Amino acid sequence: MTTDPLLTLHQLFSPSFPVGAFAYSHGLETLVQEGRISTAAQLQGWLEAVLEHGAGWSDAVLLAQVAQGADAAELAALATALTPSAERRLETVKQGEAFASTVSDLWQVNIVPAPYPVAVGQAVRALDLPLLPALQLYLQAFAANLAAAGIRLVPLGQTEGQGVIRALSPLCEALAERAMTASLDEIGGFAPLSDIASQRHETLYSRIFRS
């Protein structure tokens, strides 16, 4: 019996898939504590920047490259080098390790532990999953996890949080389309507020999240 590949993708990016994404805020906790993000509109603006100019875009390019046959070990090293702080490195490495282990066990394929987008790219290739929806759902899951962190931290209402995720869907679609044909020369971005927040996070007096 075969499974619709879209159902497999939804399982891989479901909040119940055990990668521990709920434990990370990507530096958002710092920004909330400093008073820089206190509304749904500010959360949406920050997420737009992170998606288009930060880790969202870089992750999408890495995922697409690996899924299309690029060397996973080389791109794992690049993905690690792109992380701007120790906690952001922990965020991508630990999620990637958990993802690789679970996919390897469930589908009996060899997914080498690597930073999260590289591990996902390996799975997309190994399981012969469609790349465009994989990119769309990866980016949406990335945004949804951070929006959920924002709901708890700001705090926001559940409906407000869902409104942020809904508003970001067209951007996730557009970035996925671009990443399909992007080269490694197009990787990287400029999201200094997010990067500095992730560096400052480890010095916060009290913390809920690991990044």
Side-chain angles (χ1 to χ4, degrees):
M1 185 174 65
T2 59
T3 301
D4 186 324
L6 290 179
L7 290 180
T8 300
L9 286 171
H10 278 284
Q11 180 178 357
L12 294 177
F13 300 122
S14 163
S16 67
F17 204 76
V19 298
F22 62 87
Y24 303 97
S25 83
H26 210 75
L28 174 62
E29 187 169 19
T30 307
L31 298 173
V32 173
Q33 284 202 24
E34 293 177 349
R36 294 174 181 267
I37 294 179
S38 59
T39 66
Q42 290 171 335
L43 175 63
Q44 182 179 324
W46 177 75
L47 280 169
E48 287 171 350
V50 171
L51 282 166
E52 190 163 11
H53 305 293
W57 169 246
S58 296
D59 281 6
V61 175
L62 289 165
L63 192 167
Q65 288 284 321
V66 174
Q68 294 176 97
D71 186 276
E74 288 185 8
L75 293 190
L78 176 58
T80 303
L82 287 170
T83 57
S85 67
E87 290 187 348
R88 284 272 298 278
R89 189 173 304 115
L90 177 78
E91 180 179 327
T92 190
V93 168
K94 288 300 183 183
Q95 287 187 85
E97 288 176 351
F99 181 89
S101 175
T102 305
V103 172
S104 296
D105 288 347
L106 287 177
W107 281 274
Q108 297 299 297
V109 293
N110 182 33
I111 307 298
V112 178
Y116 191 34
V118 176
V120 174
Q122 291 180 73
V124 170
R125 186 170 179 81
L127 301 177
D128 195 26
L129 299 171
L131 180 54
L132 180 59
L135 288 163
Q136 292 170 335
L137 290 170
Y138 179 94
L139 290 166
Q140 186 186 53
F142 176 82
N145 178 66
L146 295 180
I151 289 171
R152 284 174 278 172
L153 288 166
V154 172
L156 299 173
Q158 295 288 337
T159 301
E160 282 185 296
Q162 289 300 314
V164 169
I165 298 168
R166 180 176 180 270
L168 293 169
S169 293
L171 178 58
C172 292
E173 287 186 278
L175 292 173
E177 289 274 4
R178 284 173 50 199
M180 288 281 291
T181 57
S183 70
L184 285 177
D185 290 336
E186 298 173 72
I187 205 167
F190 187 68
L193 184 63
S194 173
D195 293 346
I196 293 169
S198 75
Q199 294 162 5
R200 292 168 61 88
H201 183 266
E202 64 186 36
T203 67
L204 293 181
Y205 178 75
S206 62
R207 293 172 290 173
I208 298 173
F209 293 90
R210 299 183 73 184
S211 71

